[in-house]
Amino acid sequence: MKTRRLLAFLLIATALFSSSCCSNEEKEASKKAKNVIVLIGDGMGPAQVYSLILTSQEETAFERFPYSGFSITKSASNEITDSAAGGTAIAVGKKTKNNMVGMTPDSIPVPSMLEMFAERGKKTGVVVTCSVTHATPADFIAHNIARGNNEEIALEIANKPILNVLFGGGKKYFTERKDGLDLISKMWDNGWNIYDSLSQIEDNSARTMVLTCRKHMVKAPERGNFLPEATAKAIEMLDNENGFFLMVEGSQIDFACHDNDSITLVEEMKDFNNTLNVVLDFAEKDGNTLVVVTADHETGGLTFVDPQGKYTRTDFKWSTGSHSAIFVPVFSFGPGAEKFSGIMDNTEIISKIMEIAQ
Ligand code: MG
Ligand code: ZN
């Protein structure tokens, strides 16, 4: 009798405990992400994503994301943002004026999510196909009143030990400088390994910068598989027990759209899509990685229409050589990904990420 009573008590206690703790859904929702990977398609509005879906025979990486939403991109100064202010809103969570990098409109530097993760002891990386000093990467790793101050931004990168991996272009801002400094040799002296191709990397644990060209890389497909390969290498180098933060930019989607070049846009989107597949394959296996894909703004005012209005053709139609005001998509995968559904302001992305991340 005593044993039976004890057994009943234990059964009730177990049932009470498990119901007051968490359902599987609650467990999943409260799970923290060890790693965070943010991918930015510069200039990638809804139509740029659709240009890939329209021209692709296979399922795209975008269709692998379980959650999606929209981000409103206006800056502190303009309804239509530039990349500097659009990226600043994502990287530091503050609206700023067009042209400004990582600071408020009154020039106060604000720490970026990359800097906060470095502070928490996570490894950090940035992978781009433009100069590493260009607006989008600079928003995550530097603070400057003007995006055009490439040499100042390079100096800030050289002086701050916040990055473990930096892959892209822009060597001239480190070596052909008005102040005559050779930042590459200075960085070697400070423990960095610096190369001009990914294949030269020997030590995965060293701080490593790969600058493949003087300024921006060539467009897709001429530059080969740099972006997916550099992203895979960065993940391999950054993955560790404390976690990592990685920002990857499809930098030249914007360039193709400024040129209203439909063929190059699709090539740039394929390259970004291959990169997303690399990231999602890792995140699926890892189970502790939050992946967020978004854009700083749309470029080109792109849509798809039949010029005769008869629904029989679907032509690319560009309405500007500049940026537009339309909101941009957000795609998310991994622990906490459901927080990115619905319409959000671009400044809200960082707070959602910091809430989800360990
Ligand atoms: Mg950019
Ligand atoms: Zn642009």
Side-chain angles (χ1 to χ4, degrees), residues 254 258 297 323:
D254 175 69
H258 277 289
H297 55 75
H323 300 174

Short mmCIF file of all heavy atoms in Angstrom, two decimals, residues 254 258 297 323, ligand 2:
data_model
loop_
_atom_site.label_atom_id
_atom_site.label_comp_id
_atom_site.label_asym_id
_atom_site.label_seq_id
_atom_site.Cartn_x
_atom_site.Cartn_y
_atom_site.Cartn_z
N ASP A 254 23.50 44.89 -55.50
CA ASP A 254 23.25 46.33 -55.63
C ASP A 254 23.91 46.91 -56.88
O ASP A 254 23.30 47.73 -57.57
CB ASP A 254 23.79 47.02 -54.36
CG ASP A 254 23.70 48.52 -54.41
OD1 ASP A 254 22.58 49.05 -54.36
OD2 ASP A 254 24.77 49.18 -54.49
N HIS A 258 21.98 48.90 -59.84
CA HIS A 258 22.26 50.28 -60.25
C HIS A 258 22.43 50.36 -61.77
O HIS A 258 22.06 51.35 -62.39
CB HIS A 258 23.54 50.80 -59.58
CG HIS A 258 23.32 51.32 -58.19
ND1 HIS A 258 22.67 52.49 -57.92
CD2 HIS A 258 23.70 50.81 -56.99
CE1 HIS A 258 22.63 52.68 -56.60
NE2 HIS A 258 23.25 51.67 -56.02
N HIS A 297 18.26 47.75 -48.38
CA HIS A 297 17.28 48.52 -49.17
C HIS A 297 17.12 47.80 -50.50
O HIS A 297 17.86 46.87 -50.78
CB HIS A 297 17.80 49.95 -49.43
CG HIS A 297 19.15 49.95 -50.08
ND1 HIS A 297 19.34 49.65 -51.40
CD2 HIS A 297 20.39 50.13 -49.55
CE1 HIS A 297 20.63 49.68 -51.67
NE2 HIS A 297 21.31 49.95 -50.56
N HIS A 323 18.26 53.76 -55.56
CA HIS A 323 17.55 52.92 -54.59
C HIS A 323 16.06 53.27 -54.58
O HIS A 323 15.68 54.35 -55.03
CB HIS A 323 18.11 53.12 -53.18
CG HIS A 323 19.56 52.78 -53.06
ND1 HIS A 323 20.30 52.99 -51.93
CD2 HIS A 323 20.42 52.21 -53.96
CE1 HIS A 323 21.54 52.58 -52.12
NE2 HIS A 323 21.64 52.12 -53.34
ZN ZN B 2 23.37 51.12 -54.00
#
